[in-house]
């Protein structure tokens, strides 16, 4: 192998030795700043995640132009005029319009290409971009949700529960598609048909899931501060069962690694329609940062509660052999980190999620997901919360935040001491 | 003494079984997680079928006569004839350089 020398001070570095060089640099730095191995891993993982983010950012493109003529019937030529596309026939007469609408789905942005003819009737829709979990999106297609838009007039509400049927189990994805389509229709109405639509009202969606979530956070926060262990146990069981039934089986809205990836990818949904998302993620980050406690996992995680109910049946206990403990901790972190890197690099938060939540709470999943759920269910009868303790990607997320918090606190205390000495 | 030794051996054996079960469980989970990612990765490539197109269906409230004439003009001679101004008329076909006539309210569904 040849040398990859770029400058005199790098003369000892071979081109294939850059990883070794980086580890030596990190080791030297850690000696200087007394960094623990945990913090070395923290820095390395942040840098790797940043690299994955950059890869995803520069590689996520969508080529929808070839679809534009197809979506406007009789169009043989398409011209881009401002934010819309105008379709012309052989004689140069306008036959229709097309535009792209964008909104937020469950795991990321959804872009819809919509075609409308001169009479203002929707002639075609195409999903240009979507980041949804494949299972959820397949469900939407199998239910024929996008087909509902065809033949609607541009002035129609195009809203779920008004003139569109919902898709049970994929409501947020379906709402994202509807919102994107409405945005495209709005553009065409204004710039193509010359008949602007009234602005969409931005009502804040605050219902049972949001209220229950706030209640669970409050119960968990005050519950764990109680001195009476009997009352603590009762409240904990109350919050767990509520989480499992309401957030799990009724609304299928647990916290997943896909939401973490969406957060890091910048796919933040509109808070008016997705207040729950902000409450869930914001609440976990806030309580973990301020109180150094994990409010979600032990107090109202729906899947954790499911496993704990099974453990109650057989009296299963936590089992964590000492000699394997560190290995399992780092394996769990490795799985979570791989999920985050995959999601960031591919810009598909839905791909990152491997938790079998939808399989349990929505009774929906492919063969692999069903087998995964069966394995976890059987293991839950033998050991206490096996998924949470060995495989769940959210515990490492909490560890990451907690370690960062500890580091900042230590740095703050060192700085305060130095200031006091001055 | 013998009983204690037997109990110790039993405990060690049950500990080994538990450890094996745990390692087996974790190993199976890791394999299944990679299978889930693999399936999800394969699914993401299927983009083309997400496309819907329909032959435009005319609403009953539209002036079908005007629409049919316009269509026939386009499909037949290739030269569009100007539409008569009519109460229920829909959009008049216009060349690109001329702003389109606004959609008339009477034609709404």
């Amino acid at each position: 192998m040849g040398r990859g020398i770029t400058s005199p001070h790098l003369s000892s570095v071979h081109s294939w030795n850059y990883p070794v060089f980086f580890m030596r640099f990190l080791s030297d730095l850690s000696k200087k700043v007394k960094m623990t191995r945990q913090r070395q891993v923290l820095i390395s993982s942040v840098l790797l995640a940043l690299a994955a983010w950059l890869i995803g950012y520069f590689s996520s493109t969508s080529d929808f132009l070839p679809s534009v003529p197809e979506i406007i019937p009789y169009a043989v030529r398409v011209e881009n005029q401002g934010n819309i596309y105008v379709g012309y026939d052989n004689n140069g007469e306008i036959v229709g319009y097309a535009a792209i609408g964008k909104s937020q789905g469950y795991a990321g942005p959804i872009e819809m290409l919509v075609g409308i003819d001169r009479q203002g009737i929707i002639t075609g829709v195409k999903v240009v971009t979507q980041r949804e979990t494949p299972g959820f999106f397949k469900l939407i297609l199998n239910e024929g949700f996008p087909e509902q838009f065809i033949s609607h007039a541009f002035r129609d509400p195009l809203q779920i529960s008004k003139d569109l049927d919902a898709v049970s189990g994929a409501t947020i994805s379906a709402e994202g598609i509807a919102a994107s389509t409405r945005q495209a229709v709005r553009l065409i109405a204004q710039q193509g048909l010359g008949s602007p639509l009234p602005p969409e009202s931005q009502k804040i969606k605050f219902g049972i899931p949001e209220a229950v979530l706030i209640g669970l956070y409050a119960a968990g926060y005050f519950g764990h501060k109680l001195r009476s262990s009997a009352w603590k146990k009762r409240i904990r069981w109350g919050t767990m069962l509520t989480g499992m039934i309401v957030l799990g089986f009724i609304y299928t809205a647990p916290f997943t690694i896909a939401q973490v990836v969406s957060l890091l990818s910048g796919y933040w949904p509109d808070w008016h329609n997705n207040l729950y998302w902000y409450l869930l993620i914001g609440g976990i980050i806030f309580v973990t940062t301020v109180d150094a406690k994990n409010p979600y996992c032990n107090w109202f995680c729906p899947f954790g509660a499911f496993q704990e109910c099974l453990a109650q049946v057989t009296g299963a206990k936590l089992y964590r052999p000492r000699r394997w403990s560190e290995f399992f901790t780092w394996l769990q972190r490795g799985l979570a980190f791989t999920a985050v890197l995959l999601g960031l690099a591919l810009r598909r938060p839905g791909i990152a999620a491997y938790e079998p939540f939808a399989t349990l709470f929505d009774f929906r999943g492919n063969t692999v997901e069903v087998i995964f759920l069966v394995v976890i269910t059987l293991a839950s009868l033998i050991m206490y919360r096996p998924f949470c303790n060995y495989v769940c990607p959210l515990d490492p997320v909490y560890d990451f935040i907690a370690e960062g918090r500890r580091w900042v606190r230590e740095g703050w205390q060192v700085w305060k001491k130095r200031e006091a000495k001055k | 003494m013998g009983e204690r030794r037997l109990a110790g051996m039993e405990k060690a054996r049950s500990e080994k079984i538990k450890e094996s079960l745990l390692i087996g469980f974790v190993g199976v989970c890791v394999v299944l997680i990679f299978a889930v990612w693999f399936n999800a990765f394969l699914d993401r490539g299927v983009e083309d079928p997400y496309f819907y197109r329909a032959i435009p269906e005319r609403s009953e409230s539209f002036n079908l006569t005007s629409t049919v004439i316009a269509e026939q003009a386009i499909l037949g001679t290739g030269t569009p004839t100007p539409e008569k101004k009519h109460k229920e008329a829909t959009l008049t076909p216009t060349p690109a350089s001329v702003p389109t006539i606004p959609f008339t309210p009477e034609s709404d569904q």
Side-chain angles (χ1 to χ4, degrees):
Chain A
M1 282 190 206
R3 283 174 177 256
I5 300 167
T6 54
S7 67
H9 70 277
L10 289 176
S11 59
S12 63
V13 178
H14 297 261
S15 59
W16 49 268
N17 260 343
Y18 283 130
V20 172
F21 177 70
F22 176 71
M23 290 314 296
R24 258 190 237 157
F25 161 75
L26 210 55
S27 170
D28 291 343
L29 180 68
S30 72
K31 280 175 194 162
K32 282 179 191 166
V33 299
K34 290 185 189 166
M35 229 191 286
T36 61
R37 188 176 60 164
Q38 298 242 87
R39 288 180 188 171
Q40 287 177 13
V41 172
L42 196 84
I43 292 181
S44 310
S45 55
V46 167
L47 292 173
L48 275 171
L50 189 62
W53 190 94
L54 288 168
I55 290 170
Y57 181 77
F58 288 111
S59 60
S60 56
T61 54
S62 56
D63 182 19
F64 60 87
L65 284 175
S67 306
V68 176
E70 296 170 351
I71 216 154
I72 307 172
Y74 312 123
V76 297
R77 183 173 61 86
V78 168
E79 263 182 28
N80 178 213
Q81 293 182 11
N83 291 328
I84 67 168
Y85 298 87
V86 184
Y88 299 89
D89 63 8
N90 279 324
N91 305 302
E93 302 302 330
I94 295 173
V95 289
Y97 309 89
I100 295 267
K102 188 175 176 178
S103 185
Q104 193 75 5
Y106 175 78
I110 295 180
E111 285 180 319
M112 297 290 293
L113 175 65
V114 178
I116 291 182
D117 66 13
R118 288 179 305 133
Q119 285 73 38
I121 301 296
I122 296 175
T123 54
V125 293
K126 180 176 168 67
V127 179
V128 171
T129 307
Q130 57 88 12
R131 313 280 182 203
E132 309 304 274
T133 308
F136 284 98
F137 204 71
K138 260 189 190 166
L139 178 68
I140 283 177
L141 297 181
N142 291 341
E143 296 287 313
F145 182 77
E147 282 174 291
Q148 293 185 72
F149 295 101
I150 307 297
S151 301
H152 268 280
F154 78 104
R155 287 192 193 280
D156 287 349
L158 301 177
Q159 292 193 356
I160 292 170
S161 303
K162 279 191 180 172
D163 53 351
L164 299 174
D165 294 329
V167 177
S168 171
T171 316
I172 299 175
S173 301
E175 280 181 359
I177 290 175
S180 311
T181 306
R182 287 197 301 272
Q183 197 193 60
V185 167
R186 192 170 297 279
L187 272 171
I188 294 171
Q190 184 168 10
Q191 297 180 23
L193 300 170
S195 187
L197 295 170
E200 223 170 287
S201 60
Q202 289 265 291
K203 279 186 195 167
I204 299 170
K205 188 179 162 190
F206 189 94
I208 295 171
E210 290 78 14
V212 167
L213 186 62
I214 291 173
L216 288 172
Y217 271 124
Y221 181 77
F222 293 110
H224 90 258
K225 288 184 186 300
L226 286 175
R227 285 192 186 166
S228 162
S229 59
W231 271 106
K232 207 187 255 190
K233 200 175 173 185
R234 278 182 206 129
I235 290 176
R236 188 171 168 268
W237 269 104
T239 55
M240 279 203 303
L241 291 173
T242 307
M244 183 174 74
I245 294 166
V246 180
L247 302 187
F249 286 107
I250 296 177
Y251 290 103
T252 316
F255 185 47
T256 71
I257 194 74
Q259 286 155 333
V260 174
V261 178
S262 292
L263 179 74
L264 295 173
S265 301
Y267 297 153
W268 296 23
D270 172 36
W271 70 273
H272 295 87
N273 293 324
N274 297 279
L275 188 59
Y276 183 89
W277 191 92
Y278 287 90
L279 288 173
L280 186 61
I281 294 175
I284 289 171
I285 294 173
F286 178 74
V287 178
T288 306
T289 310
V290 166
D291 210 25
K293 294 270 185 263
N294 182 348
Y296 179 82
C297 292
N298 286 324
W299 285 81
F300 53 91
C301 170
F303 200 66
F306 167 72
Q307 294 168 81
E308 199 149 334
C309 289
L310 291 173
Q312 280 291 108
V313 171
T314 56
K317 299 273 182 277
L318 173 65
Y319 178 65
R320 200 170 180 95
R322 212 174 279 177
R323 67 179 184 141
W324 288 99
S325 182
E326 204 172 333
F327 170 75
F328 286 139
T329 301
W330 286 102
L331 177 68
Q332 197 174 359
R333 288 173 179 176
L335 288 171
F337 190 57
T338 308
V340 168
L341 287 184
L342 265 178
L344 286 177
L346 298 173
R347 275 296 193 267
R348 298 290 287 261
I351 282 181
Y354 58 80
E355 309 97 323
F357 298 159
T359 316
L360 172 67
F361 298 121
D362 248 353
F363 315 115
R364 186 168 23 91
N366 58 34
T367 311
V368 173
E369 287 160 349
V370 170
I371 294 171
F372 195 18
L373 178 64
V374 168
V375 166
I376 293 167
T377 305
L378 292 173
S380 299
L381 295 167
I382 303 168
M383 44 188 143
Y384 177 79
R385 290 202 176 203
F387 182 81
C388 302
N389 287 308
Y390 301 107
V391 180
C392 182
L394 300 176
D395 216 26
V397 170
Y398 161 73
D399 288 346
F400 187 89
I401 298 173
E403 182 63 30
R405 179 183 183 272
R406 225 173 287 136
W407 202 359
V408 167
R409 276 191 76 166
E410 275 178 26
W412 173 251
Q413 276 159 6
V414 164
W415 182 82
K416 270 173 73 178
K417 275 184 192 165
R418 276 197 202 140
E419 290 296 302
K421 275 182 189 171
K422 283 180 192 172
Chain B
M1 190 77 167
E3 277 177 17
R4 242 188 266 169
R5 223 169 113 190
L6 272 169
M9 278 169 66
E10 274 294 320
K11 199 177 174 185
R13 201 165 58 170
S14 102
E15 190 67 25
K16 207 159 185 180
I17 293 171
K18 276 194 226 173
E19 215 176 85
S20 306
L21 279 173
L22 176 62
I23 292 165
F25 165 72
V26 173
V28 165
C29 284
V30 170
V31 168
L32 289 170
I33 286 168
F34 276 92
V36 166
W37 282 335
F38 184 69
N39 280 340
F41 190 78
L42 286 180
D43 279 343
R44 90 183 233 284
V46 184
E47 299 269 355
D48 268 346
Y50 307 166
F51 173 69
Y52 297 88
R53 187 189 164 180
I55 305 297
E57 289 172 19
R58 304 297 177 208
S59 164
E60 286 171 8
S61 66
F62 284 146
N63 182 340
L64 291 177
T65 310
S66 300
T67 310
V68 166
I69 288 171
E71 272 186 7
Q72 281 175 345
I74 289 166
L75 295 171
T77 62
T79 309
T81 52
E83 280 185 7
K84 287 181 193 172
K85 286 215 169 164
H86 193 279
K87 264 192 208 171
E88 295 159 336
T90 58
L91 287 175
T92 304
T94 50
S97 54
V98 175
T100 54
I101 291 171
F103 191 87
T104 51
E106 291 86 2
S107 305
D108 271 355
Q109 286 193 34

